[in-house]
Amino acid sequence: MNQVIDRIHKIGTTKNKTNTPQTLQSTIEKQMGAFISMIIKNDLSIKKTLEISSNYGFSALHVCSATKDRPGAHHTIIDPIQTARGDRTYIQNLSEAGIAGFHLVEKRSEFALPELAQTQMGQFDFIFLDGWHTFDHSLLDCHYATRLLRVGGYLVVGDLSVPSVLHVVDFIKSWPCYNEQSSLSKPLSDSRNKQLSRLLLSSISRQTWEHFLAPRLCRHIFQGDALQMIALKKVCEDKRDWHWLNHRFP
Ligand SMILES: C[S@@+](CC[C@H](N)C(=O)[O-])C[C@H]1O[C@@H](n2cnc3c(N)ncnc32)[C@H](O)[C@@H]1O
């Protein structure tokens, strides 16, 4: 692993450009960073990467460290508050790690992504989404990310512990252009209510319940772990017609 990542993990803080330590907040955890690295390292064709958003540059460090030795590797970061926050910590961290192939688009994703889509449709090999977590924002990010990804590229979505983000992922997973490649989960405690619900529902299979209950509720009852991150592979162009999914809203 990169020494800067290693150090930040160990001490739990990062430094801004005036060398003031800052406690890491709203940033990916160690196993999530390892998940991102694993997806990128397993596919040598990944060079052109995009991320929404970067905060202290910690997720960017994982992406860029994994592609660092690949010729032509370049990382685009969309994050609206780097200058406003005044510290530009992400640059400090990336520079210290010896990474130069990146640039920041300092705008909100709802404005930056449509602009990117006008010139760079289908050009990214890997996109990591970890921006503003409302349902509508997450869906908008996924919509544009799907246009920006090439066929064979990966969409990784973080923070699935946030219900609105999980709802969006449950929806986009059903798009024919995506195959679930891999996911990261953490164990959940098994409450009495869950055990009782499982017992009551056990006469019928989980697959059958999935037709009647929301995916999130099914997962909550039947599954012993909670999804944290998911990697979807774009396997074909998104060719859904205007009436796609109308059967779900009769
Ligand atoms: C969860 S943090 C990202 C953490 C980062 N991926 C990491 O692991 O280090 C959320 C980020 O969303 C950014 N953000 C807030 N509103 C946004 C918007 N409208 N579009 C894009 N990013 C936004 C914030 O600047 C913040 O850096």
Side-chain angles (χ1 to χ4, degrees):
M1 197 192 287
N2 182 293
Q3 281 180 348
V4 180
I5 297 178
D6 227 6
R7 191 200 64 218
I8 297 174
H9 274 316
K10 252 189 215 134
I11 60 178
T13 60
T14 182
K15 288 181 192 160
N16 64 14
K17 68 177 178 197
T18 57
N19 270 346
T20 315
Q22 300 183 309
T23 306
L24 285 179
Q25 282 170 344
S26 298
T27 196
I28 53 165
E29 294 166 16
K30 193 173 183 172
Q31 64 278 16
M32 298 175 179
F35 180 78
I36 289 175
S37 305
M38 183 264 295
I39 299 288
I40 297 177
K41 285 184 176 160
N42 281 345
D43 188 333
L44 294 176
S45 68
I46 297 176
K47 291 178 183 171
K48 189 164 170 167
T49 53
L50 170 69
E51 162 183 49
I52 302 149
S53 307
S54 193
N55 215 7
Y56 301 111
F58 202 46
S59 45
L61 268 175
H62 284 87
V63 174
C64 295
S65 303
T67 56
K68 196 176 165 196
D69 299 325
R70 298 182 186 174
H74 188 87
H75 189 49
T76 304
I77 300 166
I78 295 176
D79 195 308
I81 61 159
Q82 292 291 336
T83 303
R85 206 170 53 190
D87 53 28
R88 295 170 80 81
T89 307
Y90 83 100
I91 292 192
Q92 178 86 2
N93 283 330
L94 289 168
S95 309
E96 209 181 315
I99 291 155
F102 67 92
H103 80 283
L104 171 71
V105 178
E106 196 161 12
K107 290 181 180 171
R108 294 174 184 275
S109 63
E110 63 269 33
F111 302 122
L113 286 171
E115 281 173 20
L116 262 189
Q118 282 180 356
T119 53
Q120 303 195 41
M121 284 258 273
Q123 290 188 18
F124 287 88
D125 305 313
F126 176 96
I127 301 179
F128 175 51
L129 298 182
D130 190 20
W132 195 245
H133 289 333
T134 57
F135 176 83
D136 42 326
H137 252 95
S138 303
L139 186 58
L140 201 66
D141 287 352
C142 285
H143 171 82
Y144 281 106
T146 304
R147 290 168 178 235
L148 289 163
L149 262 188
R150 68 164 163 90
V151 171
Y154 301 83
L155 177 66
V156 174
V157 188
D159 258 348
L160 301 188
S161 55
V162 179
S164 49
V165 183
L166 190 58
H167 272 301
V168 169
V169 164
D170 278 333
F171 177 53
I172 65 161
K173 262 168 66 178
S174 66
W175 297 358
C177 68
Y178 283 123
N179 264 0
E180 184 172 336
Q181 183 75 13
S182 187
S183 64
L184 178 74
S185 305
K186 76 171 167 204
L188 282 175
S189 57
D190 210 9
S191 68
R192 270 183 160 216
N193 281 350
K194 259 173 80 175
Q195 288 173 15
L196 191 63
S197 313
R198 254 198 320 267
L199 194 70
L200 290 171
L201 300 181
S202 62
S203 55
I204 303 177
S205 73
R206 175 175 172 171
Q207 280 91 338
T208 311
W209 283 118
E210 275 169 0
H211 285 289
F212 301 109
L213 301 176
R216 203 162 65 86
L217 185 57
C218 260
R219 205 159 31 225
H220 181 74
I221 295 170
F222 290 102
Q223 209 158 295
D225 46 23
L227 266 184
Q228 291 183 291
M229 249 184 187
I230 196 161
L232 303 173
K233 186 165 184 167
K234 185 171 170 183
V235 290
C236 59
E237 291 299 349
D238 180 19
K239 290 189 182 142
R240 285 169 300 139
D241 214 340
W242 65 268
H243 51 71
W244 190 81
L245 205 65
N246 273 3
H247 62 280
R248 291 267 294 270
F249 307 106

PDB file of all heavy atoms in Angstrom, residues 165-191:
ATOM      1  N   VAL A 165     -28.990   6.164  -0.944  1.00  0.00           N
ATOM      2  CA  VAL A 165     -28.003   5.692  -1.916  1.00  0.00           C
ATOM      3  C   VAL A 165     -28.278   4.224  -2.258  1.00  0.00           C
ATOM      4  O   VAL A 165     -28.209   3.809  -3.416  1.00  0.00           O
ATOM      5  CB  VAL A 165     -26.552   5.874  -1.386  1.00  0.00           C
ATOM      6  CG1 VAL A 165     -25.539   5.446  -2.438  1.00  0.00           C
ATOM      7  CG2 VAL A 165     -26.301   7.306  -0.947  1.00  0.00           C
ATOM      8  N   LEU A 166     -28.640   3.451  -1.233  1.00  0.00           N
ATOM      9  CA  LEU A 166     -28.933   2.029  -1.462  1.00  0.00           C
ATOM     10  C   LEU A 166     -30.150   1.864  -2.384  1.00  0.00           C
ATOM     11  O   LEU A 166     -30.175   0.987  -3.258  1.00  0.00           O
ATOM     12  CB  LEU A 166     -29.162   1.340  -0.116  1.00  0.00           C
ATOM     13  CG  LEU A 166     -29.252  -0.176  -0.155  1.00  0.00           C
ATOM     14  CD1 LEU A 166     -27.998  -0.802  -0.746  1.00  0.00           C
ATOM     15  CD2 LEU A 166     -29.476  -0.734   1.255  1.00  0.00           C
ATOM     16  N   HIS A 167     -31.150   2.733  -2.203  1.00  0.00           N
ATOM     17  CA  HIS A 167     -32.332   2.684  -3.077  1.00  0.00           C
ATOM     18  C   HIS A 167     -31.928   2.926  -4.529  1.00  0.00           C
ATOM     19  O   HIS A 167     -32.405   2.255  -5.439  1.00  0.00           O
ATOM     20  CB  HIS A 167     -33.351   3.753  -2.666  1.00  0.00           C
ATOM     21  CG  HIS A 167     -34.305   3.278  -1.612  1.00  0.00           C
ATOM     22  ND1 HIS A 167     -35.128   2.201  -1.787  1.00  0.00           N
ATOM     23  CD2 HIS A 167     -34.559   3.739  -0.378  1.00  0.00           C
ATOM     24  CE1 HIS A 167     -35.850   2.011  -0.707  1.00  0.00           C
ATOM     25  NE2 HIS A 167     -35.519   2.932   0.173  1.00  0.00           N
ATOM     26  N   VAL A 168     -31.058   3.909  -4.726  1.00  0.00           N
ATOM     27  CA  VAL A 168     -30.615   4.222  -6.092  1.00  0.00           C
ATOM     28  C   VAL A 168     -29.880   3.019  -6.672  1.00  0.00           C
ATOM     29  O   VAL A 168     -30.116   2.617  -7.816  1.00  0.00           O
ATOM     30  CB  VAL A 168     -29.708   5.488  -6.100  1.00  0.00           C
ATOM     31  CG1 VAL A 168     -29.048   5.657  -7.453  1.00  0.00           C
ATOM     32  CG2 VAL A 168     -30.520   6.715  -5.740  1.00  0.00           C
ATOM     33  N   VAL A 169     -29.009   2.412  -5.864  1.00  0.00           N
ATOM     34  CA  VAL A 169     -28.235   1.265  -6.356  1.00  0.00           C
ATOM     35  C   VAL A 169     -29.165   0.090  -6.674  1.00  0.00           C
ATOM     36  O   VAL A 169     -28.992  -0.587  -7.688  1.00  0.00           O
ATOM     37  CB  VAL A 169     -27.130   0.889  -5.343  1.00  0.00           C
ATOM     38  CG1 VAL A 169     -26.577  -0.493  -5.618  1.00  0.00           C
ATOM     39  CG2 VAL A 169     -26.007   1.909  -5.418  1.00  0.00           C
ATOM     40  N   ASP A 170     -30.167  -0.128  -5.831  1.00  0.00           N
ATOM     41  CA  ASP A 170     -31.133  -1.203  -6.117  1.00  0.00           C
ATOM     42  C   ASP A 170     -31.801  -0.965  -7.476  1.00  0.00           C
ATOM     43  O   ASP A 170     -32.098  -1.898  -8.201  1.00  0.00           O
ATOM     44  CB  ASP A 170     -32.202  -1.274  -5.023  1.00  0.00           C
ATOM     45  CG  ASP A 170     -31.698  -2.051  -3.819  1.00  0.00           C
ATOM     46  OD1 ASP A 170     -30.822  -2.925  -3.989  1.00  0.00           O
ATOM     47  OD2 ASP A 170     -32.160  -1.778  -2.692  1.00  0.00           O
ATOM     48  N   PHE A 171     -32.041   0.303  -7.781  1.00  0.00           N
ATOM     49  CA  PHE A 171     -32.679   0.640  -9.064  1.00  0.00           C
ATOM     50  C   PHE A 171     -31.702   0.437 -10.233  1.00  0.00           C
ATOM     51  O   PHE A 171     -32.012  -0.276 -11.187  1.00  0.00           O
ATOM     52  CB  PHE A 171     -33.190   2.086  -9.003  1.00  0.00           C
ATOM     53  CG  PHE A 171     -33.790   2.574 -10.284  1.00  0.00           C
ATOM     54  CD1 PHE A 171     -34.791   1.852 -10.923  1.00  0.00           C
ATOM     55  CD2 PHE A 171     -33.366   3.761 -10.856  1.00  0.00           C
ATOM     56  CE1 PHE A 171     -35.342   2.289 -12.112  1.00  0.00           C
ATOM     57  CE2 PHE A 171     -33.922   4.210 -12.042  1.00  0.00           C
ATOM     58  CZ  PHE A 171     -34.904   3.484 -12.670  1.00  0.00           C
ATOM     59  N   ILE A 172     -30.515   1.023 -10.138  1.00  0.00           N
ATOM     60  CA  ILE A 172     -29.631   0.951 -11.317  1.00  0.00           C
ATOM     61  C   ILE A 172     -29.081  -0.454 -11.551  1.00  0.00           C
ATOM     62  O   ILE A 172     -28.719  -0.801 -12.662  1.00  0.00           O
ATOM     63  CB  ILE A 172     -28.487   2.004 -11.305  1.00  0.00           C
ATOM     64  CG1 ILE A 172     -27.524   1.755 -10.166  1.00  0.00           C
ATOM     65  CG2 ILE A 172     -29.004   3.416 -11.271  1.00  0.00           C
ATOM     66  CD1 ILE A 172     -26.199   2.447 -10.414  1.00  0.00           C
ATOM     67  N   LYS A 173     -29.052  -1.263 -10.495  1.00  0.00           N
ATOM     68  CA  LYS A 173     -28.628  -2.663 -10.677  1.00  0.00           C
ATOM     69  C   LYS A 173     -29.538  -3.403 -11.642  1.00  0.00           C
ATOM     70  O   LYS A 173     -29.168  -4.400 -12.242  1.00  0.00           O
ATOM     71  CB  LYS A 173     -28.680  -3.386  -9.318  1.00  0.00           C
ATOM     72  CG  LYS A 173     -27.345  -3.475  -8.627  1.00  0.00           C
ATOM     73  CD  LYS A 173     -27.497  -3.920  -7.212  1.00  0.00           C
ATOM     74  CE  LYS A 173     -27.994  -5.330  -7.039  1.00  0.00           C
ATOM     75  NZ  LYS A 173     -28.079  -5.713  -5.608  1.00  0.00           N
ATOM     76  N   SER A 174     -30.791  -2.893 -11.777  1.00  0.00           N
ATOM     77  CA  SER A 174     -31.739  -3.586 -12.656  1.00  0.00           C
ATOM     78  C   SER A 174     -31.581  -3.128 -14.119  1.00  0.00           C
ATOM     79  O   SER A 174     -32.239  -3.657 -15.002  1.00  0.00           O
ATOM     80  CB  SER A 174     -33.176  -3.332 -12.182  1.00  0.00           C
ATOM     81  OG  SER A 174     -33.501  -1.967 -12.336  1.00  0.00           O
ATOM     82  N   TRP A 175     -30.716  -2.161 -14.385  1.00  0.00           N
ATOM     83  CA  TRP A 175     -30.519  -1.728 -15.767  1.00  0.00           C
ATOM     84  C   TRP A 175     -29.744  -2.816 -16.521  1.00  0.00           C
ATOM     85  O   TRP A 175     -28.722  -3.319 -16.018  1.00  0.00           O
ATOM     86  CB  TRP A 175     -29.728  -0.419 -15.830  1.00  0.00           C
ATOM     87  CG  TRP A 175     -30.419   0.750 -15.197  1.00  0.00           C
ATOM     88  CD1 TRP A 175     -31.658   0.760 -14.623  1.00  0.00           C
ATOM     89  CD2 TRP A 175     -29.897   2.076 -15.041  1.00  0.00           C
ATOM     90  NE1 TRP A 175     -31.949   2.007 -14.120  1.00  0.00           N
ATOM     91  CE2 TRP A 175     -30.884   2.836 -14.371  1.00  0.00           C
ATOM     92  CE3 TRP A 175     -28.713   2.704 -15.399  1.00  0.00           C
ATOM     93  CZ2 TRP A 175     -30.701   4.180 -14.060  1.00  0.00           C
ATOM     94  CZ3 TRP A 175     -28.538   4.046 -15.092  1.00  0.00           C
ATOM     95  CH2 TRP A 175     -29.527   4.773 -14.436  1.00  0.00           C
ATOM     96  N   PRO A 176     -30.191  -3.140 -17.723  1.00  0.00           N
ATOM     97  CA  PRO A 176     -29.531  -4.231 -18.464  1.00  0.00           C
ATOM     98  C   PRO A 176     -28.051  -3.964 -18.763  1.00  0.00           C
ATOM     99  O   PRO A 176     -27.301  -4.890 -19.030  1.00  0.00           O
ATOM    100  CB  PRO A 176     -30.319  -4.311 -19.770  1.00  0.00           C
ATOM    101  CG  PRO A 176     -31.602  -3.608 -19.507  1.00  0.00           C
ATOM    102  CD  PRO A 176     -31.367  -2.603 -18.441  1.00  0.00           C
ATOM    103  N   CYS A 177     -27.627  -2.706 -18.720  1.00  0.00           N
ATOM    104  CA  CYS A 177     -26.223  -2.417 -19.070  1.00  0.00           C
ATOM    105  C   CYS A 177     -25.263  -2.755 -17.931  1.00  0.00           C
ATOM    106  O   CYS A 177     -24.049  -2.687 -18.125  1.00  0.00           O
ATOM    107  CB  CYS A 177     -26.058  -0.956 -19.487  1.00  0.00           C
ATOM    108  SG  CYS A 177     -26.309   0.210 -18.153  1.00  0.00           S
ATOM    109  N   TYR A 178     -25.782  -3.111 -16.751  1.00  0.00           N
ATOM    110  CA  TYR A 178     -24.880  -3.388 -15.630  1.00  0.00           C
ATOM    111  C   TYR A 178     -24.939  -4.839 -15.147  1.00  0.00           C
ATOM    112  O   TYR A 178     -26.016  -5.425 -15.077  1.00  0.00           O
ATOM    113  CB  TYR A 178     -25.216  -2.484 -14.434  1.00  0.00           C
ATOM    114  CG  TYR A 178     -24.713  -1.073 -14.598  1.00  0.00           C
ATOM    115  CD1 TYR A 178     -25.593   0.004 -14.521  1.00  0.00           C
ATOM    116  CD2 TYR A 178     -23.361  -0.814 -14.829  1.00  0.00           C
ATOM    117  CE1 TYR A 178     -25.136   1.312 -14.684  1.00  0.00           C
ATOM    118  CE2 TYR A 178     -22.907   0.489 -14.981  1.00  0.00           C
ATOM    119  CZ  TYR A 178     -23.788   1.535 -14.903  1.00  0.00           C
ATOM    120  OH  TYR A 178     -23.329   2.814 -15.063  1.00  0.00           O
ATOM    121  N   ASN A 179     -23.761  -5.351 -14.798  1.00  0.00           N
ATOM    122  CA  ASN A 179     -23.640  -6.628 -14.088  1.00  0.00           C
ATOM    123  C   ASN A 179     -22.943  -6.350 -12.770  1.00  0.00           C
ATOM    124  O   ASN A 179     -21.949  -5.619 -12.763  1.00  0.00           O
ATOM    125  CB  ASN A 179     -22.727  -7.589 -14.860  1.00  0.00           C
ATOM    126  CG  ASN A 179     -23.531  -8.525 -15.716  1.00  0.00           C
ATOM    127  OD1 ASN A 179     -24.758  -8.455 -15.741  1.00  0.00           O
ATOM    128  ND2 ASN A 179     -22.840  -9.384 -16.442  1.00  0.00           N
ATOM    129  N   GLU A 180     -23.458  -6.939 -11.710  1.00  0.00           N
ATOM    130  CA  GLU A 180     -22.765  -6.735 -10.428  1.00  0.00           C
ATOM    131  C   GLU A 180     -21.440  -7.487 -10.481  1.00  0.00           C
ATOM    132  O   GLU A 180     -21.403  -8.687 -10.759  1.00  0.00           O
ATOM    133  CB  GLU A 180     -23.627  -7.248  -9.276  1.00  0.00           C
ATOM    134  CG  GLU A 180     -22.975  -6.971  -7.944  1.00  0.00           C
ATOM    135  CD  GLU A 180     -23.875  -7.295  -6.756  1.00  0.00           C
ATOM    136  OE1 GLU A 180     -25.123  -7.299  -6.900  1.00  0.00           O
ATOM    137  OE2 GLU A 180     -23.312  -7.541  -5.671  1.00  0.00           O
ATOM    138  N   GLN A 181     -20.351  -6.783 -10.220  1.00  0.00           N
ATOM    139  CA  GLN A 181     -19.037  -7.389 -10.300  1.00  0.00           C
ATOM    140  C   GLN A 181     -18.590  -7.897  -8.933  1.00  0.00           C
ATOM    141  O   GLN A 181     -18.088  -9.001  -8.777  1.00  0.00           O
ATOM    142  CB  GLN A 181     -18.043  -6.334 -10.817  1.00  0.00           C
ATOM    143  CG  GLN A 181     -16.635  -6.804 -11.042  1.00  0.00           C
ATOM    144  CD  GLN A 181     -16.540  -7.653 -12.306  1.00  0.00           C
ATOM    145  OE1 GLN A 181     -17.483  -7.671 -13.097  1.00  0.00           O
ATOM    146  NE2 GLN A 181     -15.458  -8.366 -12.469  1.00  0.00           N
ATOM    147  N   SER A 182     -18.823  -7.066  -7.934  1.00  0.00           N
ATOM    148  CA  SER A 182     -18.322  -7.384  -6.602  1.00  0.00           C
ATOM    149  C   SER A 182     -18.963  -6.424  -5.604  1.00  0.00           C
ATOM    150  O   SER A 182     -19.442  -5.353  -5.990  1.00  0.00           O
ATOM    151  CB  SER A 182     -16.805  -7.153  -6.663  1.00  0.00           C
ATOM    152  OG  SER A 182     -16.194  -7.565  -5.540  1.00  0.00           O
ATOM    153  N   SER A 183     -18.974  -6.805  -4.316  1.00  0.00           N
ATOM    154  CA  SER A 183     -19.502  -5.872  -3.312  1.00  0.00           C
ATOM    155  C   SER A 183     -18.768  -6.051  -1.993  1.00  0.00           C
ATOM    156  O   SER A 183     -18.089  -7.063  -1.783  1.00  0.00           O
ATOM    157  CB  SER A 183     -21.009  -6.088  -3.123  1.00  0.00           C
ATOM    158  OG  SER A 183     -21.246  -7.364  -2.613  1.00  0.00           O
ATOM    159  N   LEU A 184     -18.918  -5.056  -1.152  1.00  0.00           N
ATOM    160  CA  LEU A 184     -18.272  -5.088   0.166  1.00  0.00           C
ATOM    161  C   LEU A 184     -19.364  -4.924   1.225  1.00  0.00           C
ATOM    162  O   LEU A 184     -20.203  -4.032   1.122  1.00  0.00           O
ATOM    163  CB  LEU A 184     -17.277  -3.922   0.258  1.00  0.00           C
ATOM    164  CG  LEU A 184     -16.546  -3.754   1.573  1.00  0.00           C
ATOM    165  CD1 LEU A 184     -15.477  -4.842   1.728  1.00  0.00           C
ATOM    166  CD2 LEU A 184     -15.869  -2.374   1.638  1.00  0.00           C
ATOM    167  N   SER A 185     -19.356  -5.801   2.235  1.00  0.00           N
ATOM    168  CA  SER A 185     -20.387  -5.738   3.277  1.00  0.00           C
ATOM    169  C   SER A 185     -19.747  -5.788   4.650  1.00  0.00           C
ATOM    170  O   SER A 185     -18.604  -6.211   4.782  1.00  0.00           O
ATOM    171  CB  SER A 185     -21.318  -6.947   3.186  1.00  0.00           C
ATOM    172  OG  SER A 185     -21.865  -7.055   1.920  1.00  0.00           O
ATOM    173  N   LYS A 186     -20.507  -5.378   5.658  1.00  0.00           N
ATOM    174  CA  LYS A 186     -20.002  -5.631   7.013  1.00  0.00           C
ATOM    175  C   LYS A 186     -21.073  -6.331   7.839  1.00  0.00           C
ATOM    176  O   LYS A 186     -22.267  -6.109   7.632  1.00  0.00           O
ATOM    177  CB  LYS A 186     -19.459  -4.374   7.661  1.00  0.00           C
ATOM    178  CG  LYS A 186     -20.414  -3.369   8.169  1.00  0.00           C
ATOM    179  CD  LYS A 186     -19.602  -2.336   8.951  1.00  0.00           C
ATOM    180  CE  LYS A 186     -20.447  -1.118   9.243  1.00  0.00           C
ATOM    181  NZ  LYS A 186     -19.764   0.095   9.474  1.00  0.00           N
ATOM    182  N   PRO A 187     -20.642  -7.192   8.799  1.00  0.00           N
ATOM    183  CA  PRO A 187     -21.605  -8.001   9.543  1.00  0.00           C
ATOM    184  C   PRO A 187     -22.566  -7.145  10.365  1.00  0.00           C
ATOM    185  O   PRO A 187     -22.182  -6.116  10.899  1.00  0.00           O
ATOM    186  CB  PRO A 187     -20.730  -8.846  10.476  1.00  0.00           C
ATOM    187  CG  PRO A 187     -19.344  -8.647  10.027  1.00  0.00           C
ATOM    188  CD  PRO A 187     -19.265  -7.402   9.221  1.00  0.00           C
ATOM    189  N   LEU A 188     -23.826  -7.597  10.422  1.00  0.00           N
ATOM    190  CA  LEU A 188     -24.829  -6.899  11.223  1.00  0.00           C
ATOM    191  C   LEU A 188     -25.144  -7.734  12.456  1.00  0.00           C
ATOM    192  O   LEU A 188     -25.048  -8.959  12.418  1.00  0.00           O
ATOM    193  CB  LEU A 188     -26.135  -6.814  10.441  1.00  0.00           C
ATOM    194  CG  LEU A 188     -26.272  -5.776   9.351  1.00  0.00           C
ATOM    195  CD1 LEU A 188     -27.604  -5.986   8.651  1.00  0.00           C
ATOM    196  CD2 LEU A 188     -26.213  -4.384   9.942  1.00  0.00           C
ATOM    197  N   SER A 189     -25.559  -7.076  13.523  1.00  0.00           N
ATOM    198  CA  SER A 189     -25.976  -7.878  14.679  1.00  0.00           C
ATOM    199  C   SER A 189     -27.356  -8.463  14.366  1.00  0.00           C
ATOM    200  O   SER A 189     -28.173  -7.847  13.697  1.00  0.00           O
ATOM    201  CB  SER A 189     -26.031  -7.000  15.925  1.00  0.00           C
ATOM    202  OG  SER A 189     -26.905  -5.950  15.668  1.00  0.00           O
ATOM    203  N   ASP A 190     -27.601  -9.673  14.857  1.00  0.00           N
ATOM    204  CA  ASP A 190     -28.859 -10.360  14.561  1.00  0.00           C
ATOM    205  C   ASP A 190     -29.848 -10.097  15.708  1.00  0.00           C
ATOM    206  O   ASP A 190     -29.772 -10.717  16.756  1.00  0.00           O
ATOM    207  CB  ASP A 190     -28.575 -11.861  14.424  1.00  0.00           C
ATOM    208  CG  ASP A 190     -29.556 -12.496  13.455  1.00  0.00           C
ATOM    209  OD1 ASP A 190     -30.303 -11.746  12.797  1.00  0.00           O
ATOM    210  OD2 ASP A 190     -29.571 -13.729  13.375  1.00  0.00           O
ATOM    211  N   SER A 191     -30.782  -9.148  15.495  1.00  0.00           N
ATOM    212  CA  SER A 191     -31.705  -8.791  16.580  1.00  0.00           C
ATOM    213  C   SER A 191     -32.794  -9.858  16.730  1.00  0.00           C
ATOM    214  O   SER A 191     -33.022 -10.660  15.828  1.00  0.00           O
ATOM    215  CB  SER A 191     -32.352  -7.446  16.279  1.00  0.00           C
ATOM    216  OG  SER A 191     -33.201  -7.603  15.166  1.00  0.00           O
TER     217      SER A 191
END
